[in-house]
């Protein structure tokens, strides 16, 4: 029983890593209607900025805050000078552009800071606490707590604020939003900037656990996209719960399902995606989209 509980706790910790990136993907989609495959690369770039600032002697929390500011500006500029050129065209073209942007950012980070593993300092102590025979690191608890707060803030943003409603209106129908007097261009920049800031927070939480490299979030991005599909693109709470489910189930499958083991546990989220897309295509917590013709 103790082993089972430990696997569940470890799965929640791993799932929080996936959830951090999944929330940023949901934020971009809610604000622009686009899946941003470059989200992981933008987050890693902000982590490198924070790491470089700490090497210049700045305290870690100050470096992270400055990296978040950098991310907001960078995200807004990417929307204004790159993505806006493709937003009224074929959506598939915009998605391909984000994939190209991911490749560009990863190459730039590797060229500037090399591809060597770098140690990123942790915001939380490395101590562990034990409860009923289960050991949990303080860092995992802190990461999970930050993700829960971010999830609640994001849910509140889109449900209970004028800014959130305006962002959703622009994502659903930018032309109608413009006719209603909403500043569509500025709202799109705000959406990308907020998502980049959330990605910066995610990278700062994840980097101490994974070590900092240009491709640090490549694998996590796959799991984050799985969490987005499972939880639903319209539900921040849903994607976090889905990320936790993925983290727990892959841990349990690796230990208790012999033919999966640790080598094939990566297949777990894809099996879940296959089942959910058949049974509930909008995701476990997502809303159906009604199209009037």
């Amino acid at each position: 029983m103790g082993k089972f509980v430990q696997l569940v706790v470890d799965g929640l910790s791993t799932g929080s890593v996936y959830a951090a990136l999944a929330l940023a993907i949901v934020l971009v989609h809610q604000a622009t209607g686009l899946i941003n495959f470059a989200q992981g690369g933008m987050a890693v770039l902000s982590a490198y900025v924070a790491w470089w600032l700490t090497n210049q002697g700045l305290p870690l929390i100050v470096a992270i805050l400055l990296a978040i500011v950098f991310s907001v500006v960078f995200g807004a500029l990417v929307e204004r000078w790159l993505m806006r050129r493709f937003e009224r065209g074929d959506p598939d073209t915009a998605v391909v552009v984000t994939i190209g942007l991911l490749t560009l950012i990863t190459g730039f980070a590797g060229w500037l800071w090399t591809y060597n593993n770098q140690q990123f300092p942790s915001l939380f102590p490395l101590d562990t606490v034990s409860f009923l025979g289960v050991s949990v690191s303080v860092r995992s608890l802190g990461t999970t707590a930050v993700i829960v707060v971010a999830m609640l803030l994001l849910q509140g943003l889109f449900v209970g604020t004028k800014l959130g409603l305006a962002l959703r209106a622009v994502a659903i129908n930018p032309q109608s939003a413009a006719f209603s007097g909403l500043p569509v261009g500025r709202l799109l920049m705000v959406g990308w900037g907020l998502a980049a800031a959330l990605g910066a927070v995610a990278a700062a939480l994840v980097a101490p656990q994974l070590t900092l490299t240009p491709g640090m979030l490549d694998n996590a991005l796959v799991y984050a996209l799985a969490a987005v599909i499972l939880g639903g693109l319209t539900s921040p709470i849903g994607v976090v719960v889905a990320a936790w489910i993925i983290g727990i189930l892959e841990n349990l499958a690796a230990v208790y399902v012999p033919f999966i083991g640790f080598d094939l546990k990566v297949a777990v989220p894809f099996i879940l995606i296959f089942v959910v897309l058949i049974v509930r295509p909008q995701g476990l917590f997502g809303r159906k989209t009604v199209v009037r013709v």
Side-chain angles (χ1 to χ4, degrees), residues 53-158:
L53 290 172
T54 58
N55 287 342
Q56 307 309 307
L58 288 179
L60 177 60
I61 187 64
V62 175
I64 291 176
L65 290 175
L66 291 176
I68 292 174
V69 173
F70 163 81
S71 297
V72 171
V73 176
F74 180 65
L77 291 177
V78 165
E79 192 287 323
R80 176 63 182 85
W81 298 109
L82 178 63
M83 298 310 303
R84 192 169 300 184
R85 301 174 184 271
F86 303 96
E87 280 163 356
R88 295 188 179 181
D90 188 342
D92 294 337
T93 303
V95 170
V96 172
V97 171
T98 66
I99 296 173
L101 180 61
L102 169 63
T103 304
L104 177 63
I105 293 175
T106 301
F108 175 76
W111 170 74
L112 190 59
W113 289 294
T114 77
Y115 288 89
N116 297 327
N117 293 348
Q118 307 292 349
Q119 292 299 320
F120 192 94
S122 176
L123 273 171
F124 304 103
L126 302 181
D127 302 329
T128 59
V129 294
S130 297
F131 181 73
L132 298 178
V134 177
S135 298
V136 185
S137 69
V138 175
R139 182 167 64 186
S140 295
L141 290 174
T143 299
T144 303
V146 172
I147 296 307
V148 170
V149 171
M151 171 190 70
L152 295 175
L153 289 175
L154 195 56
Q155 186 76 15
L157 170 68
F158 286 112

Side-chain angles (χ1 to χ4, degrees), residues 23-288:
L23 282 175
I25 294 172
V26 167
L27 178 51
V28 167
H29 183 268
Q30 287 283 75
T32 67
L34 177 70
I35 299 293
N36 180 18
F37 284 88
Q39 193 67 63
M42 295 169 68
V44 170
L45 184 62
S46 69
Y48 268 109
V49 170
W51 172 77
W52 179 81
L53 290 172
T54 58
N55 287 342
Q56 307 309 307
L58 288 179
L60 177 60
I61 187 64
V62 175
I64 291 176
L65 290 175
L66 291 176
I68 292 174
V69 173
F70 163 81
S71 297
V72 171
V73 176
F74 180 65
L77 291 177
V78 165
E79 192 287 323
R80 176 63 182 85
W81 298 109
L82 178 63
M83 298 310 303
R84 192 169 300 184
R85 301 174 184 271
F86 303 96
E87 280 163 356
R88 295 188 179 181
D90 188 342
D92 294 337
T93 303
V95 170
V96 172
V97 171
T98 66
I99 296 173
L101 180 61
L102 169 63
T103 304
L104 177 63
I105 293 175
T106 301
F108 175 76
W111 170 74
L112 190 59
W113 289 294
T114 77
Y115 288 89
N116 297 327
N117 293 348
Q118 307 292 349
Q119 292 299 320
F120 192 94
S122 176
L123 273 171
F124 304 103
L126 302 181
D127 302 329
T128 59
V129 294
S130 297
F131 181 73
L132 298 178
V134 177
S135 298
V136 185
S137 69
V138 175
R139 182 167 64 186
S140 295
L141 290 174
T143 299
T144 303
V146 172
I147 296 307
V148 170
V149 171
M151 171 190 70
L152 295 175
L153 289 175
L154 195 56
Q155 186 76 15
L157 170 68
F158 286 112
V159 173
T161 68
K162 291 183 179 180
L163 174 61
L165 294 175
L167 288 172
R168 290 172 61 187
V170 169
I172 294 171
N173 194 325
Q175 291 183 339
S176 295
F179 290 146
S180 300
L182 293 176
V184 174
R186 278 182 287 174
L187 286 170
L188 289 173
M189 291 176 68
V190 168
W192 274 78
L194 290 177
L198 186 54
V201 174
L205 295 172
V206 172
Q209 302 181 48
L210 302 181
T211 69
L212 183 59
T213 64
M216 174 182 71
L217 292 179
D218 289 352
N219 291 334
L221 179 63
V222 174
Y223 286 99
L225 290 169
V228 168
I229 294 172
L230 291 176
L233 278 167
T234 60
S235 175
I237 294 177
V239 299
V240 172
V241 173
W244 286 339
I245 291 173
I246 290 172
I248 292 171
L249 288 184
E250 73 167 351
N251 270 9
L252 295 178
V255 174
Y256 292 112
V257 183
F259 70 88
I260 291 182
F262 289 94
D263 293 332
L264 293 178
K265 71 175 185 176
V266 69
V268 171
F270 297 103
I271 296 173
L272 291 174
I273 289 174
F274 180 75
V275 173
V276 169
L277 286 178
I278 293 176
V279 177
R280 190 175 170 83
Q282 70 270 29
L284 297 176
F285 299 88
R287 298 188 301 271
K288 288 185 178 180

